[in-house]
Amino acid sequence: DTLDAGAGTMAYFGHSFEYSFYTKFYSDQIARTDTKGREFYYNNFFIHPYQSADSMRVSNLDNKLFFRLQPWSSDAIVSQIEGGAGYQHLTYYTFSPASYLQGHRNIAENNLYVYAGANGKFRKYFSWDAFGKYNLAGYNIFDYRLGANATFSFYPFRDKKEPISLTASFNTSATRPDYYTNNIYSNHFIWSNDFDKTFETKIEGELNIPKWKMSAFFGYALVNNHIYYDTLGIVQQHPEKINVMSAYLQKDLKAWLFHFDNQVLFQLSSNNDVLPLPLVALHLRYYIEYELVKKVLTVQVGADGTFTTAYFAPAYNPA
């Protein structure tokens, strides 16, 4: 009775249940005389010579038992520890020639995983969090994801509500490609793959100075076994490492009602054939902001524009 709500040591135990369902249906009619339409799919008609009706469906059932522990208080250096175990049941539908003989059959995959996380802070100067997940069995066996973030805050200005913050992040993961990346049988595309896991590691840092309306970011990523779509729309896996560096600077200016928000992004990819990126990308927002109804309705009128240097941008393929 002497503790405030949320103070002291507490523990929670619970169960989480999630069910999601996704479908996609693609259809077309491309006449035999429609040369351009047929060339769009490189004259690939594997099921029907001029009509497509391709259906895909996936359902996800995820059950999770978890605990959450507050060892000391909500603002301690270790303020929360959580973890749990889960079971995931996935069902997929896609056409295959076996459907003619065996009838409709869904493909079922299962995953058993554990996860854990923690976070905390030291007064208003430092906060941190970390998370990890590991698959023990099933389709995604030995997949993992680890991440951590730390934020340092400094208060050099008179207004202590606007600190300078420096955030550092680390993430690493290993992921088996999903079922449809490995298996497709449709009117225009067919593949049956056994791709290796994709490994990705990211190190990022961000500096925010709200008083000056300015922020800066730098990131480095290392990707191994990157999955991409080639110029024919076929999924491929690049067996070598790809390095990606990115950095942006954002500075917002204001003069009376006029706002000028500017962001400049620089990117470098070590393999632009597999992972193409524009070297420079600009995002500019210039607008007038005013209160139409005081303290109730604010209006922004202006323009939002983007620009990138030339690069080989991936195309959209409806099928």
Side-chain angles (χ1 to χ4, degrees):
D1 293 340
T2 61
L3 296 176
D4 295 331
T9 301
M10 294 185 294
Y12 303 86
F13 298 90
H15 170 257
S16 172
F17 171 86
E18 177 188 342
Y19 178 75
S20 52
F21 182 80
Y22 305 92
T23 63
K24 180 193 175 197
F25 180 76
Y26 169 77
S27 63
D28 66 30
Q29 285 187 329
I30 305 176
R32 298 178 187 273
T33 56
D34 186 354
T35 304
K36 288 186 177 181
R38 302 182 75 82
E39 287 179 349
F40 182 80
Y41 290 117
Y42 307 100
N43 291 297
N44 291 328
F45 293 81
F46 300 112
I47 300 174
H48 195 279
Y50 56 85
Q51 185 173 346
S52 301
D54 298 325
S55 178
M56 300 168 67
R57 182 173 65 249
V58 58
S59 64
N60 174 29
L61 176 64
D62 200 332
N63 268 297
K64 191 161 48 181
L65 293 172
F66 67 89
F67 74 90
R68 187 172 299 147
L69 176 65
Q70 181 176 289
W72 296 286
S73 67
S74 59
D75 58 354
I77 191 68
V78 181
S79 58
Q80 182 175 290
I81 300 173
E82 64 176 320
Y87 172 77
Q88 182 185 37
H89 179 73
L90 295 157
T91 57
Y92 300 92
Y93 169 76
T94 186
F95 173 81
S96 71
S99 301
Y100 289 125
L101 300 176
Q102 302 172 2
H104 165 67
R105 288 186 179 183
N106 286 331
I107 305 297
E109 300 289 355
N110 302 284
N111 287 305
L112 179 64
Y113 63 88
V114 293
Y115 73 95
N119 62 67
K121 60 181 180 179
F122 176 71
R123 298 181 181 177
K124 59 181 181 179
Y125 303 105
F126 173 71
S127 63
W128 69 277
D129 64 83
F131 180 84
K133 180 181 178 182
Y134 185 76
N135 281 64
L136 299 171
Y139 179 85
N140 293 100
I141 187 170
F142 304 140
D143 280 12
Y144 63 83
R145 179 164 60 90
L146 299 171
N149 304 282
T151 300
F152 301 87
S153 299
F154 311 94
Y155 297 82
F157 307 116
R158 287 186 179 181
D159 187 354
K160 301 305 180 182
K161 296 180 181 179
E162 294 185 331
I164 296 176
S165 62
L166 178 62
T167 301
S169 303
F170 172 81
N171 290 276
T172 184
S173 63
T175 308
R176 183 183 178 186
D178 65 75
Y179 176 81
Y180 291 122
T181 302
N182 276 329
N183 302 276
I184 283 290
Y185 200 110
S186 63
N187 199 29
H188 301 304
F189 296 96
I190 294 176
W191 58 67
S192 179
N193 303 310
D194 187 19
F195 288 145
D196 293 329
K197 292 182 186 295
T198 297
F199 297 89
E200 184 174 306
T201 300
K202 290 183 178 180
I203 300 173
E204 299 174 340
E206 185 173 12
L207 176 68
N208 279 293
I209 310 177
K211 185 176 180 62
W212 296 346
K213 299 184 183 300
M214 186 173 71
S215 61
F217 168 88
F218 176 80
Y220 170 77
L222 177 64
V223 185
N224 194 12
N225 294 334
H226 177 64
I227 291 175
Y228 67 102
Y229 291 84
D230 64 17
T231 55
L232 300 179
I234 306 298
V235 67
Q236 303 285 355
Q237 185 168 54
H238 184 65
E240 300 175 2
K241 295 181 176 64
I242 301 176
N243 298 276
V244 177
M245 287 192 295
S246 58
Y248 75 72
L249 178 65
Q250 180 168 334
K251 173 61 179 174
D252 300 339
L253 303 171
K254 181 183 178 182
W256 190 45
L257 300 178
F258 300 91
H259 294 254
F260 307 93
D261 299 349
N262 309 277
Q263 186 184 77
V264 183
L265 170 67
F266 299 92
Q267 300 175 116
L268 286 173
S269 170
S270 63
N271 192 326
N272 277 301
D273 292 330
V274 175
L275 207 165
L277 296 170
L279 178 63
V280 178
L282 304 179
H283 185 194
L284 309 175
R285 298 175 66 241
Y286 295 168
Y287 56 95
I288 298 173
E289 181 179 275
Y290 59 93
E291 286 188 330
L292 189 63
V293 181
K294 191 173 183 179
K295 296 183 179 180
V296 176
L297 180 63
T298 300
V299 175
Q300 292 181 351
V301 180
D304 189 317
T306 59
F307 166 83
T308 66
T309 52
Y311 76 108
F312 191 80
Y316 171 71
N317 190 307

